[in-house]
Amino acid sequence: MASRLSHYMDLTEQETSVLEELEKSPTEINKGDILFSEGDETSELFIVQKGWLASSTMLMVGERQTLQLHFPGSMVGSASIAFNRAMATVEAVSEVRLCRFPRTSLGDLFGDQPRLSALFYSVAMLEQVDLCDRLKALGRTQGKARLANLLLSIFAQLRVIQGDDLNELKMPLRQTDMADAIGLTPVYVNRVLSELADDRLIERVGKTIRILDEDRLEQIGEFENRFKEIDTSWFPEAPST
Amino acid sequence: MASRLSHYMDLTEQETSVLEELEKSPTEINKGDILFSEGDETSELFIVQKGWLASSTMLMVGERQTLQLHFPGSMVGSASIAFNRAMATVEAVSEVRLCRFPRTSLGDLFGDQPRLSALFYSVAMLEQVDLCDRLKALGRTQGKARLANLLLSIFAQLRVIQGDDLNELKMPLRQTDMADAIGLTPVYVNRVLSELADDRLIERVGKTIRILDEDRLEQIGEFENRFKEIDTSWFPEAPST
DNA sequence: CGAACCTTTGAAGTGACTCAATGCGTGTGG
DNA sequence: CCACACGCATTGAGTCACTTCAAAGGTTCG
């Protein structure tokens, strides 16, 4: 996480070491494993080091809505922090390496590291804006736009950690998973994927997806990349030490 | 805001006074006034004291998606704090009284008030979960459920400030506004409202809406009230003086 | 080599949209 | 105090995006 956050703000040595303290003793979990389930009593937070996770929620009828995807460098479990129960189920979409730490460590961080606190707050707001973008997509656009938007959002988040030249990807999500993310059925996702490919906007070979015409995809999906930078101008001073 | 936050955590005198410092010099704006628009350069935050606001975003085709409603006691503009431009347009839905303060004041708060920082973070997470609930509604439920969910969410948020016995409300939102909030058309919202009334779930007299059968509404709308309390157990200590 | 799981394709059905007209309420000016 | 205008709510009829159901084709893994 330190390396992703340093993308947004220069960290002092002390801040880096505080973050690294949260990331000691990583554990690995397998594709399909569930980190925690909606309703679980949990007071832990996680930092993703490798792989993807998805948090989702079930409806009473048995349908699923995926709320967020979590990529390396992000914190998982924070959304549930205002409650003593998990608000969503978090599942590994691929092989995942992550580190767990108790909520109280975050409390300590709020006590000792004002600048990091502000950064965490900002990252939370970034996530909130991302959720708003998805809300806009689900509320006011149709299939093609929703899928274009999802794909671009995934690429944008991966580029923060893998570099800006990324334009091809071995997709670990099944079409069912994409459907759950954008509120469609798997059958229809398949049709829309084919349409995007027919339009030469993307290319599909097996499970890999390549962006062919990013400009037009952005236009169709009404996509704006929010993940490039964060405004840190209002942050408090780093502790002097 | 102090009074809403004290609903979640006992505030020290010092914390109360810090919050009140943010809320001096209130100004009033009229129904329909725009606080700021998507894309504006803004470095201000607002605390709502009276009335409702709605933040929304426009699509290229001219459609609107409402992202959040803001009620008395909540902070407006925080979602844009990670950026130097506003991510949404915020408009007064009724007569509104609010207080503005610069982002740097929030920075100061992160520097001096660890417990309040944690509380702000938690409130942000509460909002995030609320957005997730709306995402779930838009992605995986149909008209009746979406509208039921919206109405219950509004009542839940008003009850935090107005008391739990509230079950009737003069609705300042037009059907067009509700449509923008739940991703439907005004025409269809009208039909669904009528259906809810026909089913004796709500009662409509002019612009006032009364909840008749809250249990069944909650079931239909898959609603869960997130606004009752916040887990503060992991917070750091309040500063000693 | 088979079984389980995905993906792909076809055909029919429906929830929500669009277009269009009518009704209602409220404020404003003559 | 009436009449008109304007914004909003309501209702009807036809259409379309997406769903559902069902079956066939591909992959991957034991």
Side-chain angles (χ1 to χ4, degrees):
Chain A
M1 180 163 65
S3 89
R4 179 190 166 214
L5 290 185
S6 67
H7 188 271
Y8 294 126
M9 174 176 95
D10 288 331
L11 300 169
T12 67
E13 272 185 37
Q14 197 204 8
E15 287 167 342
T16 307
S17 78
V18 166
L19 290 176
E20 281 169 355
E21 183 66 19
L22 299 178
E23 287 191 73
K24 55 182 191 190
S25 64
T27 59
E28 310 245 342
I29 65 174
N30 293 318
K31 179 172 177 163
D33 284 359
I34 289 180
L35 196 55
F36 54 79
S37 295
E38 205 170 349
D40 282 1
E41 277 191 48
T42 170
S43 58
E44 283 185 313
L45 295 164
F46 303 85
I47 292 172
V48 186
Q49 289 194 332
K50 201 192 68 184
W52 303 13
L53 300 114
S55 50
S56 58
T57 179
M58 297 294 287
L59 295 253
M60 276 180 304
V61 271
E63 285 177 305
R64 177 196 304 264
Q65 175 66 45
T66 294
L67 304 167
Q68 271 185 299
L69 295 174
H70 305 280
F71 300 97
S74 64
M75 185 160 65
V76 172
S78 50
S80 305
I81 209 169
F83 312 93
N84 46 29
R85 307 187 155 277
M87 294 292 106
T89 299
V90 176
E91 182 181 344
V93 161
S94 63
E95 306 297 302
V96 166
R97 186 175 66 233
L98 47 76
C99 305
R100 57 183 77 208
F101 63 91
R103 280 183 188 178
T104 48
S105 298
L106 188 65
D108 296 344
L109 187 143
F110 273 98
D112 305 334
Q113 300 292 331
R115 224 165 62 107
L116 281 183
S117 307
L119 185 57
F120 273 50
Y121 190 78
S122 294
V123 169
M125 290 304 139
L126 190 64
E127 279 181 24
Q128 195 175 108
V129 171
D130 184 46
L131 278 171
C132 288
D133 285 342
R134 176 138 311 110
L135 199 67
K136 169 169 149 185
L138 293 205
R140 289 295 182 209
T141 70
Q142 42 200 46
K144 219 180 224 180
R146 288 191 208 175
L147 189 51
N149 194 290
L150 176 70
L151 293 176
L152 291 170
S153 164
I154 290 173
F155 273 91
Q157 290 180 75
L158 289 176
R159 281 172 183 158
V160 174
I161 42 181
Q162 298 190 16
D164 284 342
D165 48 347
L166 179 78
N167 75 334
E168 185 178 318
L169 162 68
K170 180 150 173 303
M171 171 61 77
L173 299 176
R174 293 163 301 170
Q175 294 182 1
T176 304
D177 299 323
M178 298 187 228
D180 289 337
I182 58 181
L184 298 174
T185 54
V187 173
Y188 199 64
V189 164
N190 182 287
R191 293 194 166 114
V192 176
L193 272 173
S194 307
E195 279 183 53
L196 291 179
D198 290 347
D199 297 348
R200 309 289 313 148
L201 296 167
I202 63 171
E203 193 173 53
R204 296 193 297 154
V205 182
K207 289 202 171 3
T208 83
I209 292 185
R210 178 160 23 162
I211 306 285
L212 291 182
D213 190 339
E214 185 148 4
D215 291 344
R216 214 140 63 83
L217 265 184
E218 287 184 357
Q219 206 187 326
I220 291 172
E222 307 234 3
F223 179 77
E224 196 165 347
N225 189 350
R226 314 287 195 181
F227 299 95
K228 280 184 181 155
E229 50 185 355
I230 280 182
D231 175 23
T232 58
S233 61
W234 59 274
F235 284 17
E237 297 288 312
S240 48
T241 312
Chain B
M1 180 161 67
S3 90
R4 179 189 166 214
L5 291 185
S6 69
H7 189 270
Y8 294 126
M9 174 175 96
D10 289 330
L11 300 169
T12 67
E13 273 184 36
Q14 198 204 9
E15 287 167 342
T16 306
S17 78
V18 167
L19 290 176
E20 280 169 355
E21 183 65 21
L22 299 178
E23 287 190 75
K24 55 183 192 192
S25 64
T27 58
E28 310 245 343
I29 65 175
N30 292 320
K31 179 171 177 163
D33 285 359
I34 289 180
L35 197 55
F36 54 80
S37 294
E38 206 169 348
D40 282 2
E41 277 191 48
T42 169
S43 59
E44 283 186 313
L45 295 164
F46 304 84
I47 292 173
V48 186
Q49 288 194 333
K50 201 193 69 185
W52 303 14
L53 300 114
S55 51
S56 58
T57 179
M58 297 293 288
L59 294 253
M60 277 178 303
V61 271
E63 286 177 304
R64 177 196 303 264
Q65 175 66 46
T66 293
L67 304 167
Q68 271 185 297
L69 295 173
H70 305 280
F71 300 97
S74 64
M75 186 161 63
V76 172
S78 51
S80 305
I81 210 169
F83 312 92
N84 46 28
R85 307 187 155 277
M87 295 291 106
T89 299
V90 176
E91 182 181 344
V93 161
S94 64
E95 306 297 301
V96 167
R97 187 175 67 234
L98 47 76
C99 305
R100 57 182 78 208
F101 63 91
R103 280 183 188 179
T104 48
S105 298
L106 188 65
D108 296 344
L109 187 142
F110 273 98
D112 305 334
Q113 300 293 331
R115 223 165 64 107
L116 282 183
S117 307
L119 185 57
F120 273 50
Y121 190 78
S122 295
V123 169
M125 290 304 139
L126 191 63
E127 280 181 23
Q128 195 175 106
V129 171
D130 184 46
L131 278 171
C132 288
D133 285 342
R134 176 141 308 111
L135 198 67
K136 169 169 146 185
L138 294 206
R140 290 294 183 211
T141 71
Q142 39 201 47
K144 217 179 225 181
R146 288 192 208 176
L147 189 51
N149 194 289
L150 176 70
L151 293 175
L152 290 170
S153 165
I154 290 172
F155 273 92
Q157 291 179 73
L158 289 176
R159 280 172 184 158
V160 173
I161 43 180
Q162 298 191 15
D164 284 342
D165 49 346
L166 178 79
N167 75 334
E168 186 177 319
L169 160 68
K170 181 152 172 301
M171 171 60 76
L173 299 175
R174 293 163 301 170
Q175 295 182 1
T176 304
D177 299 323
M178 298 188 228
D180 289 338
I182 58 180
L184 298 173
T185 54
V187 173
Y188 199 64
V189 164
N190 183 287
R191 294 194 164 112
V192 176
L193 272 174
S194 307
E195 280 183 53
L196 291 178
D198 290 347
D199 297 349
R200 308 291 311 148
L201 296 166
I202 63 172
E203 194 174 52
R204 296 193 297 154
V205 182
K207 288 199 171 5
T208 81
I209 293 186
R210 181 167 13 169
I211 305 284
L212 290 182
D213 189 339
E214 186 148 3
D215 292 344
R216 214 140 62 82
L217 265 184
E218 288 184 356
Q219 204 187 328
I220 291 173
E222 307 235 1
F223 179 78
E224 197 165 346
N225 189 349
R226 314 287 195 181
F227 299 95
K228 279 182 182 158
E229 50 186 356
I230 280 182
D231 175 23
T232 59
S233 60
W234 58 275
F235 284 16
E237 296 289 310
S240 49
T241 301

